[in-house]
Amino acid sequence: MTWRKNPRTITKEQFSTGTTIDGDRIDNALDDVVERVNDIPYGDLRKRWVPTTYVAGWTPQSPFCLSSDTPSPTSGASASSAGGVYGTHHWPWLRVLNRREEVADGTEGAAADDDTRVTNPYRLKGIGVPGVQPFGEAEVSTTDWQPSALPRGVQMAWTRSWFVENPSILDAIDLILEVDDPSLALGEEVFSNTFAFSALNQVPEGYPDVNSRDLVVTATVDSEFAREDRNMADIEVLRKGFVVGNDAFSRLTLPTTAGSDYQDMSPQVKNASDKMPSCTIKGPYIKLRNLNIPIHQNARLRVAVAIPSYLTVDALGTVMRTSGWNPNNDSAKYPWMQQKIHMAVTMLEEVTHG
């Protein structure tokens, strides 16, 4: 029989055929009602959810600067993009494939004989893309984890994690990859990812055109019984294989002259003598909305963004992949420097009191 509310949820007194109805029982019933109304139990409330937005982002150091402005062991205008500037690094981006060469000496996992004890040879699962080998595969020996084939590049991942104390709902993930507008004067443009390959002969196998399809957004929940084992994590969101450039949120050009239609305010938006020239915000905007994914209590949620870093030349000097992530210049070694990253993760959290 289907459950339905009955008087027992309000009072212990039951008035029905065959029972007495006297003043004492009525008083007891009214006392129960007053007590319940004054302290409404959690189960009597309609569930109310309020959004909580977690904002994260990262602005990389400029891949282009003059050696006179930044400490550098080398000279020339491209010292930073060539890796010469002091402090050039890839943090917080990490290789998806863990390598013992990147583990600090003296810690477990650094020595060759420690590799058989690596819990996670790969930081993420299910994110393989064409053009980067291997596709999440590796062969294990008694001494080392080895790729199943010579890699033609790597994937880099930026991960944020949250501990969800109470049951919640993952509602939305908004990701913006901001780049400079090409209408900026020569030398002012810094973040210039085109999210496209230079030519058809550069695209990975299976690509119908030059548009990049190599950005991956994923959200996973760690296993309750093996939180540190990535193989046991549950994939809740996985978006891959889409044309990155199709999600661009602005293609407006900058006002470069005083007679531009943008000049409807004072002072003018653009002035050639300005120390800080204006810039139209543009770039891909990946919107994952209305996900409605329940996250259980005491869960660890991980949201990751993976980008490719293609091997641009082989041992003979032949160009392998040239794209917006790896332009045909010194900055090809630094795909994480080709755009700014903005991300917002929206969780719905239940109101339990107040």
Side-chain angles (χ1 to χ4, degrees):
M1 180 176 178
T2 304
W3 178 90
R4 64 180 180 178
K5 281 199 172 185
N6 58 79
R8 290 182 184 275
T9 63
I10 300 175
T11 175
K12 297 183 290 294
E13 298 291 343
Q14 301 299 308
F15 303 98
S16 60
T17 303
T19 63
T20 61
I21 301 177
D22 52 44
D24 289 340
R25 294 191 64 204
I26 293 176
D27 285 341
N28 292 336
L30 290 176
D31 289 341
D32 291 340
V33 173
V34 171
E35 181 180 352
R36 188 178 188 88
V37 171
N38 287 339
D39 186 16
I40 299 177
Y42 173 70
D44 283 4
L45 297 175
R46 176 178 292 181
K47 291 184 181 296
R48 293 177 295 168
W49 302 85
V50 295
T52 300
T53 301
Y54 301 94
V55 179
W58 184 69
T59 299
Q61 62 195 93
S62 172
F64 178 87
C65 64
L66 299 176
S67 59
S68 58
D69 298 334
T70 305
S72 173
T74 63
S75 60
S78 61
S80 178
S81 58
V85 171
Y86 177 78
T88 297
H89 61 80
H90 58 76
W91 317 119
W93 297 87
L94 298 173
R95 291 175 182 262
V96 170
L97 173 63
N98 282 311
R99 300 178 60 190
R100 63 180 176 84
E101 291 85 355
E102 295 182 348
V103 179
D105 292 338
T107 59
E108 184 173 353
D113 58 356
D114 285 341
D115 284 345
T116 55
R117 287 180 265 172
V118 172
T119 302
N120 299 300
Y122 294 91
R123 301 181 189 276
L124 305 171
K125 68 177 183 179
I127 67 165
V129 296
V132 177
Q133 298 283 356
F135 296 101
E137 299 176 357
E139 56 184 1
V140 62
S141 66
T142 57
T143 58
D144 199 3
W145 288 95
Q146 293 289 347
S148 59
L150 180 65
R152 291 202 298 267
V154 299
Q155 282 181 291
M156 309 293 293
W158 171 53
T159 306
R160 298 283 298 173
S161 65
W162 294 268
F163 180 76
V164 182
E165 184 176 2
N166 298 313
S168 303
I169 296 175
L170 176 59
D171 183 62
I173 300 174
D174 295 279
L175 176 68
I176 294 177
L177 281 68
E178 181 187 347
V179 296
D180 292 335
D181 195 278
S183 60
L184 276 169
L186 183 64
E188 295 178 358
E189 186 179 357
V190 175
F191 307 107
S192 57
N193 196 338
T194 61
F195 304 102
F197 292 87
S198 59
L200 278 174
N201 63 350
Q202 298 294 313
V203 302
E205 296 76 7
Y207 273 36
D209 49 44
V210 297
N211 295 313
S212 289
R213 294 170 170 82
D214 40 22
L215 177 70
V216 183
V217 182
T218 180
T220 61
V221 174
D222 291 347
S223 168
E224 291 190 77
F225 306 102
R227 291 184 181 272
E228 303 307 324
D229 190 344
R230 297 282 74 78
N231 288 322
M232 300 298 293
D234 294 326
I235 299 178
E236 303 294 348
V237 177
L238 180 61
R239 188 175 186 200
K240 56 185 282 189
F242 62 99
V243 178
V244 182
N246 283 356
D247 285 340
F249 65 88
S250 175
R251 295 185 180 277
L252 299 177
T253 58
L254 284 176
T256 56
T257 62
S260 169
D261 294 338
Y262 291 89
Q263 304 305 328
D264 56 357
M265 63 184 69
S266 181
Q268 294 181 352
V269 179
K270 173 70 176 179
N271 191 314
S273 62
D274 287 347
K275 294 183 179 180
M276 186 64 67
S278 61
C279 177
T280 299
I281 298 176
K282 65 172 295 182
Y285 177 17
I286 290 84
K287 293 186 293 185
L288 303 176
R289 297 291 183 84
N290 300 318
L291 298 175
N292 197 30
I293 299 174
I295 306 297
H296 63 78
Q297 183 177 3
N298 294 330
R300 185 160 62 184
L301 171 69
R302 299 177 187 268
V303 177
V305 179
I307 62 175
S309 180
Y310 297 105
L311 180 65
T312 54
V313 295
D314 60 13
L316 301 177
T318 304
V319 175
M320 302 289 289
R321 296 278 186 267
T322 303
S323 69
W325 303 99
N326 297 97
N328 192 17
N329 53 38
D330 289 333
S331 60
K333 302 176 183 178
Y334 308 105
W336 55 90
M337 285 185 172
Q338 305 306 315
Q339 60 281 308
K340 302 177 196 175
I341 303 290
H342 312 277
M343 184 172 68
V345 176
T346 303
M347 303 284 293
L348 299 182
E349 299 180 352
E350 186 179 3
V351 178
T352 57
H353 63 275

